[in-house]
Amino acid sequence: MQLRTAPSVVLIDVGDTMAKAHPSWLDVYSTVFEKHGIEASQPAFEQAFRSAWVEWAHEGPFEATEEASFQRLTELDRIVFGKLGYRDLPIDFFRDVDLAFRQRTAFFVFPDVIPSLDAMQAAGLRLGVVSNWGWYAPELLQTLELAKHFEIMSISARVGYQKPSPVIFEHALDLLDVRPEAAIHVGDDPEADVAGARRVGIEPVLIDRRGRIDRPIGVDAETGEVPLIRDFGELLDLLDITRPMELAS
């Protein structure tokens, strides 16, 4: 499936699009488990996290401050660990988790990302981040050597709305001073990224690095069919940009 437009702007999600928790979300959380006497299996943690996210997530508005961001993430983690049987964890646990997820070692940048960002910039495209993330996303992206590729970052904790809210996309467009028809948005979540982008008239591209989504995307009122890629090499193909040598195969 091809793009309908020739974009001048590419907006990009972070988690599971450019980088992932390393080796997993549970492994990063686990770095503070021993200190606080916590045990959790991968299946139990994943089930608890998915269920907690449904209870916790909302588009906004919410307070866009550093402290409010910490409190929102603490609320999510309290729900997760409550479901795992830990209902009275001290605030120090949540502060330790917050610090764990700010470390360079907590994330793995997919190897196709930086060469592809370089290629898109060389082709004259403007790049921006649109991500549901905590307050320290800009600092983390700097640590991951990704920040320098982007003109703007529209981060949920700093905007006060999260995808699929149109506000977080509109904020990115306002910062870049472009119309939605000039942009595409690349992300891994059919609701947050695909439906969210389409709510403001941005053409979405869905990335599926784990092979979880069948081709083609099923048609429904929100998403319809959407270009589906497996990595950023395929994104370059979609944009008709020659792959750099390290991605040529």
Side-chain angles (χ1 to χ4, degrees):
M1 190 170 181
Q2 300 301 309
L3 293 173
R4 297 192 308 272
T5 59
S8 60
V9 168
V10 180
L11 304 174
I12 307 177
D13 175 49
V14 177
D16 288 332
T17 297
M18 292 194 288
K20 71 178 186 72
H22 181 64
S24 72
W25 289 100
L26 177 59
D27 286 295
V28 181
Y29 276 98
S30 295
T31 61
V32 304
F33 278 5
E34 183 176 357
K35 176 180 176 180
H36 296 278
I38 294 173
E39 295 181 0
S41 69
Q42 188 81 36
F45 175 81
E46 290 182 355
Q47 181 177 355
F49 195 92
R50 284 194 297 268
S51 176
W53 183 271
V54 172
E55 293 180 30
W56 172 85
H58 66 93
E59 296 182 22
F62 43 83
E63 186 179 343
T65 65
E66 180 180 355
E67 180 59 24
S69 173
F70 173 72
Q71 292 300 331
R72 289 190 74 243
L73 293 174
T74 295
E75 178 188 355
L76 172 61
D77 285 340
R78 284 196 187 280
I79 299 171
V80 173
F81 287 94
K83 292 178 181 294
L84 294 170
Y86 300 96
R87 294 180 176 82
D88 298 305
L89 291 169
I91 194 64
D92 285 351
F93 168 74
F94 302 103
R95 296 200 183 280
D96 288 343
V97 168
D98 182 51
L99 289 173
F101 277 97
R102 294 192 218 171
Q103 305 307 308
R104 172 66 181 87
T105 53
F107 291 95
F108 170 78
V109 177
F110 297 108
D112 53 282
V113 170
I114 290 178
S116 298
L117 296 178
D118 288 337
M120 285 187 277
Q121 285 185 303
L125 291 172
R126 304 171 67 193
L127 306 180
V129 170
V130 178
S131 178
N132 289 347
W133 210 273
W135 188 261
Y136 291 102
E139 290 81 359
L140 177 63
L141 292 174
Q142 182 72 37
T143 299
L144 297 176
E145 300 183 359
L146 294 172
K148 64 184 179 182
H149 294 89
F150 296 98
E151 281 188 50
I152 62 96
M153 297 183 193
S154 186
I155 306 298
S156 59
R158 295 187 177 225
V159 177
Y161 290 83
Q162 68 180 23
K163 298 179 291 184
S165 170
V167 177
I168 190 171
F169 292 99
E170 290 166 350
H171 181 67
L173 296 173
D174 288 344
L175 291 174
L176 290 162
D177 192 24
V178 296
R179 295 185 56 78
E181 297 82 6
I184 64 170
H185 174 69
V186 184
D188 70 298
D189 188 300
E191 180 181 359
D193 294 303
V194 174
R198 282 190 167 158
R199 284 167 69 176
V200 294
I202 296 172
E203 183 171 5
V205 175
L206 186 63
I207 187 166
D208 178 23
R209 291 186 179 275
R210 301 182 185 181
R212 298 173 295 180
I213 300 168
D214 294 331
R215 292 178 183 268
I217 299 300
V219 176
D220 61 45
E222 283 293 328
T223 60
E225 291 190 356
V226 59
L228 179 64
I229 60 174
R230 303 296 188 192
D231 55 39
F232 272 32
E234 292 188 5
L235 175 60
L236 294 180
D237 297 342
L238 201 60
L239 292 165
D240 198 24
I241 296 173
T242 301
R243 295 190 183 205
M245 186 173 298
E246 55 265 57
L247 302 182
S249 61

